[in-house]
Structure formats: C-alpha cells, structure tokens
C-alpha cells in the first residue's frame, strides 16, 4: 500500500492541482495520528486543500482495515461538496493505487428522511403552531401537498433533495424521530424505509459523511446510529461544541405538554390525560407571567409545577401499559394491535418521556451548595408570535461528554481554518475535553496527553494581499445602535471601494439600520440579509461587482466569494456574546467560580472565533486582494485586543483611514 503522502501526490496530479506544503504537512500529521491512535487538531487556512489532506489518509486506513471512517461536517454545503465533488473525483483518482475503488455514502438523522409509513398511515396531524398570519397557514398547506407529490417519485427520501425547501411544520407531518420510529422489523414499510436504506448503504462503504448533530447523537445515545468505526474526522471543528450543546439542550412549555396530551388522550382514560392537561396549563400560565432570562434559583412555585408536570406525565406512561405490541394490562388493551395503533402509542410514549425527563432534568439542575458544583443552566425564553414562553436547560460544558463518548476509543481528527484562538489551541482543546497542552506548549504547535495541535498555515500571502484596518479614531460602540461616525466611516470606505463590500454586523438590527441609513446615500446597490433568501442574496452579490451585502451571523461564516466582487469586509464591532445571553453568561460565571478568567475563556474566545471567521471571508483565492475594516477601536485599545488580533490572519495592519481609502481606490481602478 502506498504511503498517504504518495497517494496525496497521485490525487493532486490527477485533479490537476499542485503540491502545497501545508497540505502535505496536514496529510502526514493525520496519518501519524491514525497510526498512533492519538487525536490531532489541525488549523488549515483557506486554500490549503484540507479536504484532500484528511480524506487521503482516511481512505487509506478504511481500505487497509475494512473499517469505515466517519467524516462529520457542520454544514449541508460542505456535506454536499464532499459527496458530490470531492469524494467522487478522489475515489476515481486513487482507484488504480488501491485494492478497490473507495466508496462513500451520506448519512443524516432519521428526521431528515421521509417516513413512508407516516405518508400512508393517515396518522392525525399535530395541531399547527400558533400562526396568526393566514397566509402562512396556506403556504404550509401548499408545502404539504408538494411533499406528498415528491413522496411518489423520490428515491432517497432525503429532505435536502426537495427543492425549494419546506418549513419544519410541514416536514414533521411526514417524518419521525429515532425514538418515535417503530423499527424496521415492526413497521409495515420497514423493508423500504428511506432511513434504514441510508443506514444500510452507510454500513457497506469506506467513508460515511454525516453532520456534527448526528455524530453527537451517536456518541451520547445508547443505540448506535453510525456504522462501526475507529476514526472520525471533524471538519469545521470550531462549531463542534455549539452543535453538541444544541443536541443536548432540552425545552419545556405549555405547548409541549399540550402536544403530549393530544398524542395520548385517545389511548388512556380521560381523567389521567386531564391531569397532564391541567399541569400543562399551570406551567403555561406561570411561564407567561415570569420574566425572561436565567433562572439561577428555583422558585418554589416553579419547582412545584415542574413536579406536577413530571408526575402527570409518568401517570400517563403507566396508563399506556407495556411499551411493546402487547398491551394486555394497559388502559388501551381493547385496541387493535395493528401497526397504526403501535405507531400512535410509540409517538405518545416518545413525547411523554421527553416531557417527564425534561421536567426532572430541570429539577435536578438545582440544589447545589456551591456554584462550582452546578452542571446545568435553566433559562426562560419570552413568548413570540411563533413560540410560547419556553423553559430551556443546557449543560454548562460538554467537555466531559466529548472526552468520554467521542474521544474515548477512537482516533479523532479535528480541523478548521480557525482553531488556534489567540495563537493557541488551548481554548478549544479545553472545550473539547482534550485537556491542557504540555508545559511550554499551547502555541501554533501544541502537544497534550494523547493529542497534538498543528497550524499548517495558509498558501495566501496575507501581508501582501490584505490590509487589516482598525478605526482607532472612532468612539467606542454603544448600545443604542450605530453612531453617526460609524455610518460615515462605512460610507467613505464603500465609496472608495466602488461597492464590492460585505458588511458583517453584530446584530440584525444594526445591519438593517445601516442599510436604511446608507441605501439612499450610496450610488451602489445595497442588499440586506432578509430581503430574500441568503443563498440568492450571496449569488446576486457575487455576480454584480458594485453590489454590497449587509448581514449578520450566517454571513460571518457562510460566504465564499472569490474574485473582484469582494474587496472590502467591514465588521462593525467585536462580536462578543450579549451580556444577557443566559448560557454564555452562566458559563462565564462557572469558569470564574473555578478560579479561571470567565471573560477570556468564554466571551473573548467566542469573539475571537467569529472575528477570525469574518476576516477569513476576504481572501478566497490566490489572486484576491482587499481590506478587512474593523470599526471597533477596542481591538487596539483594550487589554484583550492582543488576544483577538492574534486570532486573525496575519494581514498588514494600519489605523490610517486615508491610507486605506487610497488602497481601495487603487484596487477599484485596477
């Protein structure tokens, strides 16, 4: 078997590329980790070719051992890129060098696949969410009809192949969660189940492409979701903690309890269902009158109400009887044992378990004498037109879960363009549960117990291709929107660049305010996120050079526009999390209670990650040039500024606005 480096050279030649030192270093590092059974974190800048760098040694390992390798990504876009472009070309290129041509498959959570049985069984639909706009109800109805028509022709049942997409309300009428599923053996449609067929395909291939959420579910749940594997590649690893946290966050509301009542009402005695209904109404009234935000201490009335909900849900579960097909002792013993009845019972058990377990989890979050002993945080989201007042619970850290369940008995490769925050892998390594670097380590090349960190750099010449401009002369940003000097600065920069600007704002309110203030003032097209679908806006921005695009969070990480359409990236302020964000503020307090620096470990790390991702939008190809303009003077004046700057690409930097405007004018003229 050729070495991974030799196979990389074969692949690069076949694909018409050229050797990149960073790509070779990354391939060698991944191969060493696989051989040693260790973990490795690799920061690989845009243009390194990191997909090839990890796929080649991963495929080599899969072919040698016969064990699948799992590649996990955070976004659907990268999943599709791997499955539709990178893997087919790579497999063809490597086939002559390997015993067989490598094969691959994509695998998602069960909710992403159409449930054939639910399409035909005539299950009662859940009552729709509170939608006060009749047009939205009508739109959902049209989506339901489209799904029904698509169900007759689809070969995969994959939701992402339904274009244009549909909303969650329409889709959930045709899908089931893993816990709701009857199982292939008992479901009348089990033999042709889309989710089971996808799992079957995934069990026979060398490379399984999935997402961080499913990877977390596979690691945390008792049942196996992914095929047996001993190597995992986590691409876009900077998003791993947030995605895992999302998976293990639970919520409870009066509406959730109401759904459980509707699911179980016809299967048990009315009095038992009414008890749960009353507990849900009490919870709804209590949450509706309570202030939004973190709930640090459990109010007695909330504790009593959560206990009522928990106990009423438990009573409903008992009334349903045995969980299998045999209901010979339960209240529903006279019902038929057909598959539809089993499906309804399974759905009822699922939602009742969720209500019961979430209420208990929230109660368990309290009662600790010291802040350092607290493991979870509970907070209340205020009601909106689309969502009732909702109580949520999440862990303060997922490091222990990841250490025990993901890193425990397999090799894990973590990679992204942004991992060494403040010039060190230390921050993310702690969040992943990998532990501290060895003494004297922790910089661009780090080593800890069972893991290494490596920054292979970027093929781009950042000091020659880009300018980092910090507007030190501007006032500090306030809480009352964008000050006039900020709007003037933005206008002058855009005029100098002739448009061609991506504006990244810390909030949608700021993005819209800037758009409204500058749309008439500028003589170039100005788009704002929300005007249309983000995908169409980015496409329009890329195709029309003078056009500018303003937006918020998804644009910080999701825009790839090489060429002259993007010459200027404007960042309005350092993207710290909101001070009143319940989870972030609780994590800061918890770190401080353990003797650490909560602000630097949580808020500054979050800001550094987003800043690096935002600045990374500028250079997407070897010929790109331009300016990253950060309007927040704190990047220069605050004590934490050096940490944030060390997380950014090594652009040439200046505080001189006239110099920057001159450079942009020359770029626009050229």
């Amino acid at each position: 078997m050729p070495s991974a480096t030799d196979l990389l050279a074969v692949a690069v030649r076949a694909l018409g590329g050229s050797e990149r030192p960073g790509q070779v270093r990354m391939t060698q590092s991944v191969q060493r980790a696989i051989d040693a059974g260790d973990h490795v974190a690799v920061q690989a800048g845009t243009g390194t070719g990191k997909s090839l760098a990890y796929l080649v040694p991963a495929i080599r390992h899969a072919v040698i051992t016969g064990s699948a390798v799992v590649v996990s990504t955070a976004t659907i876009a990268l999943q599709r890129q791997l499955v539709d472009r990178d893997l087919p070309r790579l497999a063809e290129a490597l086939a002559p060098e390997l015993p067989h041509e490598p094969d691959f498959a994509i695998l998602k959570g069960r909710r992403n696949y159409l449930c054939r049985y639910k399409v035909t069984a005539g299950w009662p639909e859940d009552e729709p969410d509170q939608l006060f706009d009749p047009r939205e109800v009508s739109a959902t109805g049209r989506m339901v009809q489209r799904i029904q028509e698509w169900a007759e022709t689809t070969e995969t049942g994959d939701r992402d192949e339904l274009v244009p997409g549909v909303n969650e309300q329409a889709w959930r009428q045709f899908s089931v969660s893993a816990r709701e599923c009857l199982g292939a053996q008992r479901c009348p449609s089990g033999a042709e189940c889309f989710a089971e067929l996808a799992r079957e395909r995934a069990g026979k291939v060398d490379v399984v492409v999935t997402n961080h959420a499913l990877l977390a579910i596979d690691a945390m749940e008792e049942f196996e979701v992914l095929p047996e594997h001993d190597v995992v590649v986590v691409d876009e690893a900077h998003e791993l903690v947030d995605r895992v946290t999302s998976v293990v966050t639970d919520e409870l509301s009066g509406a959730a309890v109401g759904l459980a009542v509707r699911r179980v009402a016809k299967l048990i005695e009315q009095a038992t269902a009414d008890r749960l209904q009353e507990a849900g109404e009490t919870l709804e009234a209590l949450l509706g009158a309570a202030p939004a935000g973190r709930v640090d201490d459990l109010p007695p009335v909330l504790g009593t109400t959560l206990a009522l909900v928990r106990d009423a849900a438990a009573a409903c579960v008992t009334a349903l009887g045995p969980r299998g097909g045999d209901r010979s002792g339960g209240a529903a013993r006279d019902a038929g044992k057909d598959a539809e009845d089993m499906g309804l019972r399974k759905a009822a058990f699922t939602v009742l378990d969720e209500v019961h377990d979430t209420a208990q989890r929230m109660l368990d979050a309290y009662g600790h004498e010291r802040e350092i002993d607290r493991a979870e945080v509970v907070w209340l989201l205020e009601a909106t037109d689309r969502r009732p007042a909702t109580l949520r619970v999440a862990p303060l850290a997922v490091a222990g879960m990841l250490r025990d369940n993901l890193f425990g008995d397999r090799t894990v490769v973590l990679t992204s363009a942004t991992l060494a925050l403040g010039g060190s892998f230390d921050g993310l390594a702690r969040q992943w549960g990998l532990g501290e670097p060895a003494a004297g380590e922790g910089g661009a090349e780090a080593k800890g117990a069972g893991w290494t960190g490596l920054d292979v750099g970027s093929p781009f010449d950042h000091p020659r291709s880009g300018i980092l401009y910090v507007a030190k002369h501007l006032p500090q940003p306030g809480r009352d929107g964008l000050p006039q000097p900020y709007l003037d600065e933005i206008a002058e920069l855009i005029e100098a660049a002739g448009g061609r600007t991506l504006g990244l704002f810390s909030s949608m309110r700021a993005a819209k305010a800037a758009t409204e203030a500058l749309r008439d003032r500028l003589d170039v097209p100005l788009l704002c996120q929300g005007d249309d679908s983000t995908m169409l806006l980015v496409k329009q921005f890329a195709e029309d050079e003078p056009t500018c695009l303003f937006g918020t969070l998804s644009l910080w990480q999701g825009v790839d526009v090489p060429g002259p359409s993007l010459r200027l990236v404007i960042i309005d302020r350092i993207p710290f999390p909101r001070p009143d964000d319940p989870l972030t503020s609780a994590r800061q307090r918890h770190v401080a209670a353990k003797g650490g620096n909560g602000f630097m470990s949580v808020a500054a790390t979050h800001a550094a990650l987003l800043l690096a991702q935002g600045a990374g939008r500028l250079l997407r190809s070897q010929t790109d040039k331009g300016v990253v303009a950060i309007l927040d003077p704190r990047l220069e004046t605050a004590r934490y500024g050096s940490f944030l700057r060390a997380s950014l690409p090594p652009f040439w930097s200046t505080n001189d606005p006239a110099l920057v405007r001159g450079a942009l004018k020359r770029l626009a003229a050229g």
Side-chain angles (χ1 to χ4, degrees), residues 1 7 15 55 58-60 62-64 66 83 85-105 204-207:
M1 181 73 70
L7 288 174
L15 299 177
L55 284 174
I59 287 173
R60 181 178 183 273
V63 171
I64 289 175
V83 172
R85 190 187 73 181
D86 295 350
L87 279 166
R89 297 165 65 197
L90 180 59
E92 183 180 0
L94 296 183
E97 308 295 325
L98 301 174
H100 67 264
E101 181 169 329
D103 46 15
F104 49 89
K204 299 176 180 178
V205 299
D206 297 306
V207 180

Coordinates of all heavy atoms in Angstrom, one line a residue, residues 1 7 15 55 58-60 62-64 66 83 85-105 204-207:
M1 N 0.8 -1.2 0.0 CA 0.0 0.0 0.0 C 0.9 1.2 0.0 O 1.7 1.4 0.9 CB -0.9 0.0 1.2 CG -1.8 1.2 1.3 SD -3.2 1.1 0.2 CE -4.1 -0.3 0.9
L7 N 0.0 8.8 -2.0 CA -1.4 8.8 -2.5 C -1.9 10.2 -2.7 O -2.6 10.5 -3.7 CB -2.3 8.1 -1.5 CG -2.2 6.5 -1.5 CD1 -3.1 6.0 -0.4 CD2 -2.5 5.9 -2.8
L15 N -6.1 15.4 -10.2 CA -7.1 16.5 -10.2 C -6.5 17.8 -10.8 O -7.2 18.8 -10.7 CB -7.5 16.7 -8.7 CG -8.1 15.5 -8.0 CD1 -8.5 15.8 -6.6 CD2 -9.4 15.1 -8.8
L55 N -8.9 13.4 3.7 CA -9.6 12.3 3.0 C -8.6 11.2 2.6 O -8.9 10.0 2.7 CB -10.4 12.8 1.8 CG -11.7 13.5 2.2 CD1 -12.3 14.1 0.9 CD2 -12.7 12.5 2.9
A58 N -7.5 9.0 5.5 CA -8.7 8.4 6.0 C -9.1 7.2 5.1 O -9.4 6.1 5.6 CB -9.8 9.4 6.1
I59 N -9.1 7.4 3.8 CA -9.5 6.4 2.8 C -8.4 5.3 2.9 O -8.8 4.1 2.9 CB -9.6 7.0 1.4 CG1 -10.8 7.8 1.3 CG2 -9.5 5.9 0.4 CD1 -10.9 8.6 0.0
R60 N -7.2 5.6 3.0 CA -6.1 4.6 3.1 C -6.4 3.7 4.3 O -6.3 2.4 4.2 CB -4.8 5.2 3.2 CG -3.6 4.3 3.2 CD -2.3 5.1 3.3 NE -1.1 4.2 3.3 CZ -0.6 3.7 4.4 NH1 -1.1 3.9 5.6 NH2 0.5 2.9 4.3
A62 N -9.3 3.1 5.8 CA -10.5 2.4 5.7 C -10.3 1.2 4.7 O -10.8 0.1 5.0 CB -11.6 3.3 5.1
V63 N -9.5 1.3 3.7 CA -9.2 0.2 2.7 C -8.4 -0.8 3.4 O -8.6 -2.0 3.2 CB -8.6 0.8 1.5 CG1 -8.1 -0.3 0.6 CG2 -9.6 1.7 0.7
I64 N -7.4 -0.4 4.2 CA -6.5 -1.4 4.8 C -7.2 -2.2 5.9 O -7.1 -3.4 5.9 CB -5.3 -0.6 5.5 CG1 -4.3 -0.1 4.4 CG2 -4.5 -1.6 6.4 CD1 -3.2 0.7 5.0
G66 N -10.7 -2.3 6.5 CA -12.0 -2.7 6.3 C -13.0 -2.0 7.2 O -14.2 -2.4 7.2
V83 N -19.6 14.9 -1.0 CA -20.3 13.8 -1.6 C -20.4 14.0 -3.1 O -20.3 13.0 -3.9 CB -21.7 13.5 -0.9 CG1 -22.4 12.5 -1.7 CG2 -21.5 13.0 0.5
R85 N -18.7 16.3 -5.1 CA -17.5 16.7 -5.9 C -16.2 16.0 -5.4 O -15.5 15.3 -6.2 CB -17.3 18.2 -5.8 CG -16.3 18.8 -6.8 CD -16.1 20.3 -6.5 NE -15.3 20.5 -5.3 CZ -15.0 21.7 -4.9 NH1 -15.5 22.8 -5.5 NH2 -14.3 21.9 -3.8
D86 N -15.8 16.3 -4.1 CA -14.5 15.8 -3.7 C -14.3 14.3 -3.7 O -13.3 13.8 -4.2 CB -14.2 16.4 -2.3 CG -14.1 17.9 -2.2 OD1 -14.1 18.5 -3.3 OD2 -14.1 18.5 -1.1
L87 N -15.3 13.6 -3.1 CA -15.1 12.1 -3.0 C -15.2 11.4 -4.3 O -14.4 10.5 -4.5 CB -16.1 11.6 -1.9 CG -15.7 11.8 -0.5 CD1 -16.8 11.5 0.5 CD2 -14.5 10.8 -0.1
P88 N -16.1 11.7 -5.2 CA -16.1 11.0 -6.5 C -14.8 11.2 -7.3 O -14.3 10.2 -7.8 CB -17.3 11.7 -7.2 CG -18.2 12.2 -6.1 CD -17.3 12.7 -5.0
R89 N -14.3 12.4 -7.3 CA -13.1 12.6 -8.1 C -11.9 12.0 -7.4 O -11.0 11.4 -8.1 CB -12.8 14.2 -8.2 CG -13.9 14.9 -8.9 CD -13.9 16.4 -8.7 NE -12.6 17.0 -9.3 CZ -12.2 18.2 -9.0 NH1 -12.8 18.9 -8.1 NH2 -11.1 18.6 -9.5
L90 N -11.9 12.0 -6.1 CA -10.7 11.4 -5.3 C -10.8 9.9 -5.5 O -9.7 9.3 -5.7 CB -10.8 11.8 -3.9 CG -9.7 11.3 -3.0 CD1 -8.3 11.7 -3.5 CD2 -9.9 11.8 -1.5
A91 N -12.0 9.3 -5.3 CA -12.1 7.9 -5.4 C -11.6 7.4 -6.8 O -10.9 6.4 -6.9 CB -13.5 7.4 -5.2
E92 N -12.0 8.1 -7.8 CA -11.5 7.7 -9.2 C -10.0 7.8 -9.3 O -9.4 7.0 -10.0 CB -12.3 8.6 -10.2 CG -11.9 8.2 -11.7 CD -12.7 9.1 -12.7 OE1 -13.4 10.0 -12.2 OE2 -12.5 8.9 -13.9
A93 N -9.5 8.9 -8.8 CA -8.0 9.1 -8.9 C -7.2 8.0 -8.1 O -6.2 7.6 -8.6 CB -7.7 10.5 -8.3
L94 N -7.7 7.6 -7.0 CA -7.0 6.7 -6.2 C -7.2 5.2 -6.5 O -6.4 4.3 -6.1 CB -7.3 6.9 -4.7 CG -6.9 8.2 -4.0 CD1 -7.3 8.2 -2.6 CD2 -5.4 8.5 -4.2
A95 N -8.2 4.9 -7.3 CA -8.6 3.5 -7.6 C -7.5 2.7 -8.1 O -7.3 1.6 -7.6 CB -9.8 3.5 -8.5
P96 N -6.7 3.2 -9.0 CA -5.6 2.3 -9.6 C -4.5 2.0 -8.5 O -3.8 1.0 -8.7 CB -4.9 3.2 -10.7 CG -6.0 4.2 -11.1 CD -6.7 4.5 -9.8
E97 N -4.4 2.7 -7.4 CA -3.4 2.5 -6.4 C -3.9 1.7 -5.3 O -3.1 1.3 -4.4 CB -2.9 3.9 -5.9 CG -2.5 4.9 -6.9 CD -1.3 4.4 -7.7 OE1 -0.4 3.8 -7.0 OE2 -1.2 4.8 -8.9
L98 N -5.2 1.4 -5.2 CA -5.8 0.7 -4.1 C -6.4 -0.6 -4.5 O -6.7 -0.8 -5.7 CB -6.8 1.6 -3.4 CG -6.4 2.9 -2.9 CD1 -7.6 3.8 -2.4 CD2 -5.3 2.8 -1.8
P99 N -6.6 -1.6 -3.5 CA -7.2 -2.9 -3.9 C -8.6 -2.7 -4.5 O -9.0 -3.6 -5.2 CB -7.3 -3.6 -2.5 CG -6.2 -2.9 -1.7 CD -6.2 -1.5 -2.1
H100 N -9.4 -1.7 -4.1 CA -10.7 -1.4 -4.7 C -10.9 0.1 -4.7 O -10.3 0.8 -4.0 CB -11.8 -2.2 -4.0 CG -12.0 -1.6 -2.6 ND1 -11.5 -2.2 -1.5 CD2 -12.8 -0.6 -2.1 CE1 -11.8 -1.6 -0.4 NE2 -12.6 -0.6 -0.8
E101 N -11.8 0.5 -5.6 CA -12.2 1.9 -5.7 C -12.9 2.3 -4.4 O -13.9 1.6 -4.1 CB -13.0 2.2 -6.9 CG -13.4 3.7 -7.0 CD -14.0 4.1 -8.3 OE1 -13.6 3.5 -9.4 OE2 -14.8 5.0 -8.3
P102 N -12.5 3.3 -3.7 CA -13.2 3.6 -2.4 C -14.6 4.1 -2.7 O -14.9 4.7 -3.7 CB -12.4 4.8 -1.9 CG -11.1 4.8 -2.6 CD -11.3 4.1 -3.9
D103 N -15.5 3.7 -1.8 CA -16.9 4.1 -1.9 C -17.3 4.9 -0.7 O -16.6 4.9 0.4 CB -17.8 2.9 -2.1 CG -17.5 1.7 -1.2 OD1 -16.8 1.9 -0.2 OD2 -18.0 0.6 -1.5
F104 N -18.4 5.6 -0.8 CA -18.8 6.5 0.3 C -20.3 6.7 0.2 O -21.0 6.3 -0.7 CB -18.1 7.9 0.0 CG -18.3 8.4 -1.4 CD1 -19.3 9.2 -1.8 CD2 -17.3 8.0 -2.3 CE1 -19.5 9.6 -3.1 CE2 -17.4 8.5 -3.7 CZ -18.5 9.3 -4.0
A105 N -20.9 7.2 1.3 CA -22.3 7.5 1.4 C -22.5 8.6 2.4 O -21.7 8.9 3.3 CB -23.1 6.2 1.9
K204 N -21.8 -0.2 4.4 CA -21.0 -1.0 3.4 C -19.9 -0.2 2.7 O -19.3 -0.7 1.8 CB -22.0 -1.5 2.4 CG -23.1 -2.5 2.9 CD -24.0 -2.9 1.8 CE -25.1 -3.8 2.3 NZ -26.1 -4.2 1.2
V205 N -19.7 1.0 3.2 CA -18.8 1.9 2.4 C -17.6 2.2 3.3 O -17.5 1.9 4.5 CB -19.5 3.2 2.0 CG1 -20.7 3.0 1.1 CG2 -19.9 4.0 3.3
D206 N -16.6 2.8 2.6 CA -15.3 3.2 3.3 C -15.4 4.5 4.0 O -14.8 4.7 5.1 CB -14.2 3.3 2.2 CG -13.9 2.0 1.5 OD1 -13.7 1.0 2.2 OD2 -14.0 2.0 0.3
V207 N -16.2 5.5 3.5 CA -16.3 6.8 4.1 C -17.8 7.1 4.3 O -18.5 7.1 3.3 CB -15.6 7.9 3.2 CG1 -15.8 9.2 3.9 CG2 -14.2 7.6 3.0

